[in-house]
Amino acid sequence: MIRTQFTDTFGVEHPVLCGGMTGLGTAPLISAVANSGALGFLTALTQPTPEALAAEIARTRELTDKPFGVNLTILPTINPVPYDEYRAAIIESGVTIVETAGSSPEPHMDDFNRAGVKVIHKATSVRHAVSAAKHGVAAISIDGFECAGHPGEDDVPGLVLIPAAVRALDIPVIASGGIATGSGLAAALALGACAVNMGTRFVATTEAPVHENVKKQIVANNERDTVIVFRTFHNSARVARNSISEQIVEIEKRTGSTFADVAHLASGARGRENVLAGGDMEGGVWWAGQTQGLIHDIDTVENVVGRIVSDAEDIMRSQLALLS
Amino acid sequence: MIRTQFTDTFGVEHPVLCGGMTGLGTAPLISAVANSGALGFLTALTQPTPEALAAEIARTRELTDKPFGVNLTILPTINPVPYDEYRAAIIESGVTIVETAGSSPEPHMDDFNRAGVKVIHKATSVRHAVSAAKHGVAAISIDGFECAGHPGEDDVPGLVLIPAAVRALDIPVIASGGIATGSGLAAALALGACAVNMGTRFVATTEAPVHENVKKQIVANNERDTVIVFRTFHNSARVARNSISEQIVEIEKRTGSTFADVAHLASGARGRENVLAGGDMEGGVWWAGQTQGLIHDIDTVENVVGRIVSDAEDIMRSQLALLS
């Protein structure tokens, strides 16, 4: 067992989180994460309505009696999202841990604080983390350049970003991006983090609700098999390398290219669905982190979490032998 | 004291290296590094001739009786460099540790091995590291995306690259890039490295032979104050953010831009000299790593190395308290 400020503050057994993954953060995976002793997040916007989210929370409770949270990703969208209603559904369901991501959590903090909900805000830069801390979040999940999805535009990886965030903040810091193993957990703790947040590692588990081809591709891929798309539009996203993502990058290189030029290739949720549910690995873009290079098997969530924690414990103990 | 495969193999007190830095790797800095118990490298090509290198080696020996090495950076150059003569000067001077960087060390390995010189090859990717290992190098210094200078074109940072290299190699791995503190050393050891190689941290020391303005700028800068230039020409270099480096990046974005379009701005050694020796911080491009965000003082080499090692020891000991 590894006990940290994270396990103490959030009442969770292991200093390991499964961060919000749209489409994947549903009851089967998140209850498995909870049962393993780690902290997982249902993704609010994966559910079509606030009522559906409340039902998914209830479904998760049937599968586990351990803590889990809900991710609320705040993004500018073409069709307005009823964020207030999703927030109310979370609070009314009695969930006490929320992960916010995307824009500032500020508009939601009064309600969450009043309800005693602890907020972990995901930030890709020290300045955004400091700003969120001022608004009363309980912890920061600092997301390095290595991560799947949106790494921001600063390109600062965890080795530098984690200790920089730890220095600037006086609330717990969770290391996110680039971590998939026990050595990563031990390293993150050495850098001053109190837990690790993982995404790609949890996609390659038995319980992850994605096509088997996706899991196999993560194992087959190495650390070079991601690309960053949408950099030109200041909305960088790290996705798996495939013919679609490489084509998008090529189009972005052309002077004056616009999002409309690549939208039909990325094709939003539908393209991702081709991959995640359909198993067509060239059917669209799909998020993947550089940790693909560190993931060599598909296993149950319980085994993955158990191994990461026990490997980290072994490393932390064995390091003492280096001291004289 | 931290004892690792590195300290054992190379007969050095601390698992800390000061990698080759052109222009800076001369007797004053490298003897100070040696006297601190770390391993520094004179840079062969900073010396105009192989004879001058032999003289610089002799000058360093007058300042320290501890081990130091020589860096031999192998790059395609317009004016041919007499690499064989530099190599011979190293061997004849009795230096027993060499850092190679740039291209493959293969052409030099027979001579170095015959002379009993241990080679540490700096590589920015696992595949290049594996190739160098096949050619008989003693260790790999694996250089992550965070590093100053040339990070390669793969953009894989240390959190992922270090454990990926450790897994692929059966020789010692030294973590390079993104490390400037004791927590970085402890993290690197947790990731399976046996030592850390630092550059930017050693520039901000009393003994570094650069203008005081450069040292102060490193302390003032944060982790966002670097840019990657020459990406378009597949010769990426991470340099400090200033008006010149930002201008180069803008020019590179233009369709069809060539190196000739930016050469007058970068202006090679002369531009760097304006900065490093002249202290004109907008006088040219100069290498700096993202660790700028982790460096908050200028201090003697001895204090810097001593603090990094003792901070790492404290962290490694304190981590045991987390286990139950």
Side-chain angles (χ1 to χ4, degrees), chain A residues 1-3 126-127 145 154-155 157 167 183 189-190 223-224 255 290 296 316 319-320 322-324, chain B residues 1-3 126-127 145 154-155 157 167 183 189-190 223-224 255 290 296 316 319-320 322-324:
Chain A
M1 297 279 292
I2 303 176
R3 195 176 157 170
V126 173
R127 65 196 188 288
F145 174 70
D154 286 351
D155 299 354
R167 186 173 196 266
S183 73
L189 296 176
E223 67 280 3
R224 297 173 67 226
T255 306
Q290 292 185 321
H296 308 295
M316 289 157 76
Q319 286 203 297
L320 263 209
L322 303 176
L323 303 179
S324 60
Chain B
M1 298 280 291
I2 302 175
R3 194 175 158 170
V126 173
R127 65 196 188 289
F145 174 69
D154 287 351
D155 299 353
R167 185 173 197 266
S183 72
L189 296 176
E223 67 279 3
R224 299 173 65 224
T255 306
Q290 293 185 320
H296 307 294
M316 290 156 76
Q319 287 204 297
L320 263 208
L322 303 176
L323 304 179
S324 61

Side-chain angles (χ1 to χ4, degrees), chain B residues 27 42 52-64 68 93 95:
Chain B
L42 297 174
L53 173 60
E56 194 69 11
I57 292 170
R59 185 159 84 106
T60 308
R61 285 229 176 84
E62 282 166 21
L63 299 169
T64 185
F68 62 90
S93 297
V95 165

Side-chain angles (χ1 to χ4, degrees), chain B residues 67-92:
Chain B
F68 62 90
V70 175
N71 167 287
L72 187 65
T73 296
I74 309 149
L75 289 172
T77 51
I78 295 164
N79 303 314
V81 171
Y83 283 111
D84 293 351
E85 285 81 355
Y86 277 104
R87 185 186 65 232
I90 294 168
I91 292 172
E92 283 158 24

Side-chain angles (χ1 to χ4, degrees), chain B residues 9-295:
Chain B
T9 304
F10 294 94
V12 173
E13 199 176 331
H14 299 307
V16 174
L17 296 85
C18 171
M21 295 187 281
T22 306
L24 282 75
T26 52
L29 177 61
I30 300 313
S31 62
V33 171
N35 286 329
S36 80
L39 180 63
F41 293 88
L42 297 174
T43 41
L45 303 191
T46 298
Q47 303 301 327
T49 62
E51 295 71 31
L53 173 60
E56 194 69 11
I57 292 170
R59 185 159 84 106
T60 308
R61 285 229 176 84
E62 282 166 21
L63 299 169
T64 185
D65 54 8
K66 295 194 178 173
F68 62 90
V70 175
N71 167 287
L72 187 65
T73 296
I74 309 149
L75 289 172
T77 51
I78 295 164
N79 303 314
V81 171
Y83 283 111
D84 293 351
E85 285 81 355
Y86 277 104
R87 185 186 65 232
I90 294 168
I91 292 172
E92 283 158 24
S93 297
V95 165
T96 59
I97 309 176
V98 161
E99 177 187 68
T100 53
S103 307
S104 168
E106 184 180 7
H108 305 283
M109 289 309 298
D110 276 353
D111 277 19
F112 282 139
N113 281 334
R114 207 174 295 125
V117 172
K118 292 193 177 91
V119 173
I120 301 173
H121 184 65
K122 197 175 232 186
T124 59
S125 73
V126 173
R127 65 196 188 289
H128 291 152
V130 167
S131 165
K134 280 187 191 139
H135 294 304
V137 303
I140 290 290
S141 193
I142 194 87
D143 211 17
F145 174 69
E146 305 89 337
C147 72
H150 294 289
E153 311 303 323
D154 287 351
D155 299 353
V156 182
L159 260 185
V160 172
L161 191 60
I162 298 164
V166 167
R167 185 173 197 266
L169 297 166
D170 51 14
I171 56 174
V173 172
I174 297 158
S176 186
I179 295 159
T181 66
S183 72
L185 170 54
L189 296 176
L191 293 171
C194 62
V196 294
N197 182 60
M198 306 190 298
T200 309
R201 174 63 268 194
F202 281 113
V203 181
T205 57
T206 316
E207 292 91 339
V210 298
H211 196 282
E212 197 69 12
N213 289 357
V214 176
K215 304 177 188 184
K216 287 181 181 162
Q217 189 74 58
I218 290 172
V219 172
N221 282 352
N222 70 27
E223 67 279 3
R224 299 173 65 224
D225 292 324
T226 71
V227 298
I228 290 184
V229 297
F230 311 155
R231 167 57 48 104
T232 314
F233 318 117
H234 303 287
N235 187 23
S236 294
R238 186 181 294 283
V239 300
R241 184 188 295 282
N242 65 8
S243 58
I244 308 288
S245 59
E246 291 194 322
Q247 213 178 326
I248 291 173
V249 169
E250 282 310 308
I251 293 171
E252 285 189 57
K253 281 183 189 162
R254 294 180 201 153
T255 306
S257 64
T258 66
F259 188 73
D261 298 329
V262 299
H264 67 291
L265 288 167
S267 65
R270 180 61 210 153
R272 198 180 296 167
E273 204 179 299
N274 289 339
V275 180
L276 297 185
D280 172 9
M281 302 311 295
E282 302 292 324
V285 299
W286 56 287
W287 289 8
Q290 293 185 320
T291 53
Q292 288 181 127
L294 305 176
I295 298 169

